[in-house]
Amino acid sequence: MTAAADIGGLKILVADSSRAYEWRTAAALSEPGMTADSWIGNQCVLDRDHVAAVYAPRHFTNKPDLMQGGAFAAIVNTSDGHVTKLPFTVSLAYFDPSCNTRTHTAAFTAFRDMNDPAKTRTRVVTVDAAGRTLDEAALRGEVTSAVPVADGAVAARGRDLVHIDRSGKVKSLATGNSVPFDIRPAGNGRIGFVEREDTKRARAKVWSGHGKPALVATGKLGDLDLMPGAEGRVFLTGDPAAAPRTQGTGITRIDAPPTRTSPPWGVSPWNRCSPRCPRGPRARQERGQGILQGGAPPQGDPAPTPRPWRRTSR
């Protein structure tokens, strides 16, 4: 599964193994009456039939308030194209949304007043595959890379890996050398994440539920990634500088390049195929399939009026 920016809407593209990985458009996300030269966004996978997505006109990236908390959110059923539009607005940050394939939930993040650290506020909303809101926390400061877990969410606040419970209370779990990102629940209370070592290198680590995080792998910044897989599995991709220490971490090393594209639903996030297999929107040129032109129009609920989020904080 991946997404492609398009003038008609953010295209959610799905490739099924039963159809020889031929890409098809599951939905095109846009808002009635809004003009855009292109609709952009991010997406993640909740389960084999549901995708959480953030989308907005491209020009939103030029307006700080819209970039930080003005984008739209939806849950897409990829099996039938039904779109459930969510009644709140969110950030276009690279980590938004984040999904947990074990709990089949997604976390959406929005920010306010980021130009003034003393006033910055973060909202994290967790929803299920039906689009129902499970948790909503309004927090002081900047909280990033939030991902849902069974009892709330885990995220980064500065250098700290933190847990946010269902009441919005924040607890520090561990402190890293820099801001954690690519945060992935790895089962049995373990949390994997990546952090910068300096301006050129990154480290993948895992927090086991107590003590300090353990080093899993190091590599060039941008060459190391933790990717989610089916049923809560976590995969280390990219080019580690040395043999990774994955035993007992809940992380599996696979030989695949780092990527932001959501993986196929299966045992691994990377199903190997020949070089002729489609691997993205460019497959239209390679195989003559009209992915970015035409396709099924979005179906489902009309867009609700996004509600402003409360300024209460904890």
Side-chain angles (χ1 to χ4, degrees):
M1 191 282 298
T2 189
D6 189 69
I7 192 171
L10 180 70
K11 300 287 184 72
I12 303 298
L13 307 176
V14 179
D16 299 317
S17 59
S18 61
R19 299 182 180 181
Y21 298 103
E22 178 181 340
W23 290 96
R24 62 180 176 86
T25 301
L29 302 176
S30 62
E31 291 300 317
M34 296 190 71
T35 58
D37 65 340
S38 182
W39 288 83
I40 63 171
N42 307 311
Q43 77 292 325
C44 63
V45 175
L46 288 82
D47 56 43
R48 67 175 302 114
D49 292 324
H50 295 90
V51 170
V54 168
Y55 61 101
R58 184 168 60 176
H59 67 260
F60 275 31
T61 59
N62 297 323
K63 302 289 185 180
D65 288 347
L66 296 177
M67 173 71 186
Q68 296 163 13
F72 304 98
I75 301 294
V76 178
N77 186 323
T78 59
S79 64
D80 61 13
H82 183 85
V83 176
T84 301
K85 294 187 175 182
L86 305 179
F88 50 81
T89 55
V90 297
S91 171
L92 278 168
Y94 73 92
F95 53 77
D96 199 32
S98 296
C99 293
N100 186 325
T101 58
R102 190 182 301 274
T103 58
H104 310 302
T105 53
F108 293 89
T109 303
F111 301 102
R112 276 183 189 251
D113 299 322
M114 292 189 70
N115 292 333
D116 185 346
K119 296 181 179 179
T120 299
R121 300 292 184 269
T122 304
R123 181 193 62 193
V124 178
V125 181
T126 301
V127 304
D128 62 15
R132 292 184 293 260
T133 297
L134 304 178
D135 301 307
E136 181 175 345
L139 311 164
R140 292 184 182 274
E142 182 180 356
V143 177
T144 57
S145 298
V147 60
V149 292
D151 58 350
V154 289
R157 176 184 266 179
R159 294 168 50 202
D160 289 342
L161 181 70
V162 300
H163 177 266
I164 306 167
D165 69 17
R166 294 187 181 280
S167 68
K169 183 178 179 181
V170 179
K171 176 184 177 182
S172 179
L173 303 177
T175 300
N177 289 26
S178 61
V179 178
F181 59 96
D182 278 355
I183 298 174
R184 313 293 184 200
N188 296 324
R190 296 170 297 203
I191 306 294
F193 63 92
V194 180
E195 65 178 12
R196 288 175 179 260
E197 183 176 349
D198 49 37
T199 59
K200 296 182 179 180
R201 300 187 64 79
R203 292 183 286 202
K205 292 184 174 182
V206 64
W207 181 70
S208 63
H210 56 81
K212 295 182 178 180
L215 180 66
V216 176
T218 62
K220 292 182 180 179
L221 190 64
D223 285 355
L224 209 60
D225 202 359
L226 289 180
M227 289 292 297
E231 297 302 324
R233 298 189 68 182
V234 179
F235 299 93
L236 174 68
T237 63
D239 187 19
R245 307 167 187 172
T246 58
Q247 186 174 1
T249 64
I251 298 171
T252 302
R253 164 71 174 143
I254 62 170
D255 183 14
T259 177
R260 292 287 173 195
T261 300
S262 297
W265 191 257
V267 174
S268 80
W270 206 270
N271 284 336
R272 295 182 179 275
C273 61
S274 72
R276 294 182 62 82
C277 289
R279 295 190 182 275
R282 290 180 63 85
R284 182 175 70 86
Q285 287 80 16
E286 296 173 3
R287 298 196 44 177
Q289 302 297 331
I291 292 176
L292 300 182
Q293 297 178 0
Q299 304 175 34
D301 303 334
T305 302
R307 69 178 187 273
W309 59 283
R310 297 185 295 274
R311 287 185 174 270
T312 57
S313 59
R314 294 179 174 86

